[in-house]
Amino acid sequence: MCGIVGIVGQSAVNQTIYDALTVLQHRGQDAAGIVTVDQGSFRLRKANGLVKDVFETKHMQRLQGNAGIGHVRYPTAGSSSASEAQPFYVNSPFGISLAHNGNLINTKELLERLALKRRHINTTSDSEILLNLLADELQHVSGLSLTPDEVFSAIRQVHRQVNGAYATVAMIIGQGLVAFRDPYGIRPLVLGKNETEHGTEYMVASETVALDAVGFKVVRDVEPGEAIYVDLEGNLHSRQCSDEPKRIPCIFEFVYFARPDSTIDKASVYSSRINMGTKLAEKIKAEWEDQDIDVVIPIPETSCDIAVEISNHLGLPYRQGFVKNRYIGRTFIMPGQQERKKSVRRKLNAISAEFKGKNVLLVDDSIVRGTTSEQIIEMAREAGAKKVYFASAAPEIRFPNVYGIDMPSSSELIAYGRDVQEIAKMIGADGMIFQNLGDLVEAVKMENPDIQEFETSVFDGHYVTPGVDQTYLDHLTKLRSDDAKANRNNDLGTNLELHNVCHP
Ligand code: AMP
């Protein structure tokens, strides 16, 4: 997953973009970048690392200008090479810089098309493809400045060519900020504004929390298929640019990715998680009539809100039995399984008083490989637990994600080809329960009943965009195995073959 932001302000935007990226850091910790427009030139700083490490005072001083875009990256199938940090840049037409959250499916076909137009893609990133497609569509414009009609018709053409998930921000030199969301709105994108004495400032970002943090008011979600164009005078234009838009947002944003204090497509992430807790508690009551749980313990942090609700509904105490070391990155981003195994213990420690002689119900938001849950159950037993039950607020994850979330290939997913009992046995739980998919959907829908459909492919294997067939999934499997990732990372920046990069 990645985080994006774009602003057309009335004064310098460097600090605002930096602050927004800091609150979007949960969406990607691998690399960060900011581009600003200063007197007709781009100023760029991007590198691997956390926002606080990538930008030093000297960089911030150079990032002058009243408009800019920013990105935090979380690599999935792609390489972690610094050359793939975003935003990307092309010099023609105008000079365009672009950052993207999502994953394009039909990159092979798009690359061929771009090659015929003599456009060279120099990295393995699909964002560079998206940028070149946009640039190519804007190439047809005749005048020296862009009209909103010209911007929107270029984006319409981009939508017609691309399959996949893409929430995008682009800055065009001398013209303005362009932001667009794919026709299904799979990845989130929100519009905000700030009234100043000099005029209105506009901002788009992956999550509302980024707007809150920098004092902008949320205006609305960017609609699926819609494009926003803010010219450098600060005038806002918007238009639906998809022939067939349909709102199908990714449900995993609500389960795990987004911050609880964000709202996506008018649904509060926090309240959705509370509803997930209620639904799961109802299932526990129905399926485990004679349960003997003494205490409900979350696996920090995402599941804390869910676990509180489960404890309330079951009338059982809630205890934070695990302490998280705040200064360690997410375990999932480690390249190899061995490292991932070690890192769970470095990240979490059990408080024995909460486990000794008790039957505990551990709650997590989701189970992917099962590495975390297996080790956590082991830790709970070492801390003296009698029985360890495990509840997942998401259903069994059985299929890879192709829309920008780092999910391993099916064979590496613990729920692939296994039923609940088999999973419980593998992770060493005395009992195990998963949310039903219908209940998960309902939990979010309760917050916005107008969302008719969600992108739920990791649970049901149903991919909403064209182009996700077995050949594509096999291709993804090759790119995503731990070995493939390790090889790519050993070969930073030298491999010019294009992989279908998810670099949200
Ligand atoms: P595991 O089952 O060991 O692979 O890890 C599952 C844990 O990782 C869950 O507790 C989630 O909170 C978290 N998680 C789920 N999906 C992802 C992801 N795509 N990237 C990082 N962490 C994730």
Side-chain angles (χ1 to χ4, degrees), residues 74 252 256-257 332 364-366 368-372 405-406:
Y74 181 61
F252 213 70
Y256 173 72
F257 267 108
F332 205 87
D364 207 349
D365 55 89
S366 57
V368 184
R369 288 180 166 88
T371 332
T372 315
I405 294 181
D406 185 13

Side-chain angles (χ1 to χ4, degrees), residues 72-87:
V72 283
R73 181 185 69 179
Y74 181 61
T76 48
S79 106
S80 291
S81 157
S83 64
E84 301 209 346
Q86 300 191 34

